[in-house]
Amino acid sequence: MPRTAIAAIGTFVPERVVTNADLTRLMETSDEWITQRTGIQERRWVEPGVGAADLAEAATRQALDRAGWRPGDIEAIVFASLSPDHMFPGDGCFLNARLGLPGVPALDVRNQCSGFLYGLSVADAWIRTGTYRRVLLVGAEVHSTGLDVSTRGRDVAVIFGDGAGAALLEATDDPDRGVLAVRLHADGRHARDLWTDAPGSVYSPRSRVEDIASGATYPHMEGQKVFKHAIVRMPEVVREVLAAAGHGTADLKLLVPHQANLRIAEAVQRSLELRDDQVFNNIQRYGNTTAASIPLCLAEGAEARGLRRGDLVALAAFGAGFTWAGALLRW
Ligand code: UT7
């Protein structure tokens, strides 16, 4: 049975840098608070009119260049995003059109911060079963247009940023390369602990003036609850994928945790007793880009740490749903 290898990763972030100091002009906050509580120094925001499909296309084209593939080499698209351009159809179809791939299937994944790893599990199953040999897996988010940037929404607004990461996945028969294990989890009892209530199909009409006034159209988060679950679930799922493949934490060359908060990533590192050189973070420059955070961080981490063929890499995510997931692969 073939395994799933990453042929290349492409990334894209909008040009506009929004610093913590910039946010102090919109809401009551401070560089000191944001840096101490989250580690974030700046994030990227799109200009008006730019959606997640735009970011995804740019990241995909970079990945195609890096892999030496043409768009026509892509046999299936998996698009993870909580911030698609429109209510429906999902951005997978918009990306399919932009890449000029009529007939190529496009699957949309709605698993927030875990979206990239949920998408990876599907793409991996397709590749291992021989359904498709070359799959585009993209995570892309535009948060900035949906944030409450007044003081009311500051706990959420300072965290999130826009960006995209695209991985080209291919079947390999190389025994020293590819995805070894993926594990997915969810606990819907916490669905309302991090969510955007409206617009939604339970409301008639779906878009109501009172929801705009009350702030129900903005994301809401029980921050401390999310934090406490994240620092338990992420180490747990890393141990789970390591155990599934018969490895221990000492074997890891690199852990790329979902970039939710630098303090969460540091707690995960401590819990797994990993050295600094075994973990890579870049939330300082991008904030939390949900489904885009793992490919964005993996691409930079692979370069910064000089990942080599065969190196053992773990990926871990936790977020809204609650959902969480882990993956283990040989680079
Ligand atoms: O990707 C997965 C999704 N998200 C996460 O994983 C995020 C998980 N949670 C967190 O990262 C943290 O809970 C936050 C960074 C969101 C908040 O940090 P915290 O240490 O849990 O702060 P808190 O919510 O307990 O708030 C502490 C204080 C409050 O003031 P009082 O009540 O103590 O007077 C907040 O009103 O900080 C205040 N506060 C702020 N102050 C300045 C909240 N947001 C801000 C802000 N600037 N942006």
Side-chain angles (χ1 to χ4, degrees):
M1 200 181 266
R3 281 218 195 112
T4 303
I6 298 177
I9 304 177
T11 63
F12 183 79
V13 290
E15 263 178 42
R16 182 177 166 205
V17 176
V18 177
T19 64
N20 293 344
D22 292 333
L23 294 180
T24 64
R25 288 187 274 279
L26 299 170
M27 62 188 83
E28 283 174 33
T29 190
S30 65
D31 176 42
E32 190 189 12
W33 192 96
I34 301 170
T35 308
Q36 280 181 3
R37 305 273 178 146
T38 72
I40 300 165
Q41 290 159 14
E42 58 187 43
R43 72 286 293 142
R44 303 298 183 98
W45 284 6
V46 296
E47 298 299 334
V50 175
D54 293 290
L55 308 187
E57 184 187 358
T60 301
R61 294 203 182 276
Q62 187 184 65
L64 288 166
D65 280 351
R66 288 180 173 172
W69 293 16
R70 289 170 295 109
D73 292 326
I74 296 167
E75 295 172 26
I77 298 169
V78 182
F79 198 125
S81 182
L82 69 73
S83 52
D85 292 29
H86 304 285
M87 284 285 283
F88 76 86
D91 271 346
C93 287
F94 289 102
L95 184 59
N96 161 304
R98 282 149 179 261
L99 296 172
L101 298 174
V104 168
L107 175 72
D108 286 281
V109 171
R110 286 285 307 268
N111 289 85
Q112 301 72 244
C113 304
S114 309
F116 189 80
L117 296 186
Y118 267 72
L120 180 64
S121 80
V122 175
D124 181 46
W126 281 342
I127 288 174
R128 280 189 294 110
T129 53
T131 310
Y132 304 111
R133 289 187 65 83
R134 290 183 154 188
V135 180
L136 164 63
L137 169 61
V138 54
E141 305 284 6
V142 170
H143 284 294
S144 57
T145 53
L147 297 173
D148 179 358
V149 294
S150 72
T151 298
R152 179 180 66 175
R154 64 184 178 175
D155 58 326
V156 173
V158 300
I159 292 178
F160 291 101
D162 304 340
L168 295 172
L169 307 173
E170 66 181 350
T172 178
D173 296 319
D174 183 343
D176 295 324
R177 209 178 153 214
V179 173
L180 304 179
V182 187
R183 292 293 184 272
L184 309 178
H185 297 283
D187 184 347
R189 292 174 298 179
H190 297 284
R192 290 180 174 81
D193 288 335
L194 175 48
W195 72 323
T196 300
D197 182 6
S201 61
V202 289
Y203 302 117
S204 185
R206 291 182 185 181
S207 297
R208 301 178 306 176
V209 172
E210 63 262 37
D211 290 331
I212 295 174
S214 71
T217 56
Y218 293 120
H220 288 268
M221 176 170 70
E222 296 292 331
Q224 292 197 4
K225 208 185 252 187
V226 177
F227 195 105
K228 284 178 188 154
H229 281 79
I231 62 173
V232 173
R233 294 308 194 183
M234 286 215 277
E236 206 173 81
V237 78
V238 170
R239 290 191 192 282
E240 199 183 338
V241 289
L242 282 167
H247 286 289
T249 51
D251 301 329
L252 275 181
K253 174 73 179 176
L254 194 65
L255 167 68
V256 172
H258 161 58
Q259 301 292 286
N261 179 325
L262 192 59
R263 284 163 53 219
I264 292 177
E266 288 168 351
V268 171
Q269 178 181 339
R270 277 196 300 278
S271 170
L272 291 168
E273 298 179 348
L274 296 173
R275 302 181 307 272
D276 287 352
D277 66 275
Q278 288 177 292
V279 183
F280 187 79
N281 296 300
N282 63 5
I283 191 171
Q284 299 90 333
R285 285 174 290 119
Y286 303 121
N288 180 346
T289 58
T290 51
S293 104
I294 286 183
L296 205 50
C297 196
L298 178 58
E300 290 195 356
E303 179 130 1
R305 299 293 166 77
L307 277 192
R308 285 196 281 191
R309 185 66 56 91
D311 282 342
L312 199 61
V313 179
L315 311 173
F318 181 90
F322 291 154
T323 60
W324 63 103
L328 188 72
L329 56 94
R330 286 210 178 276
W331 191 246

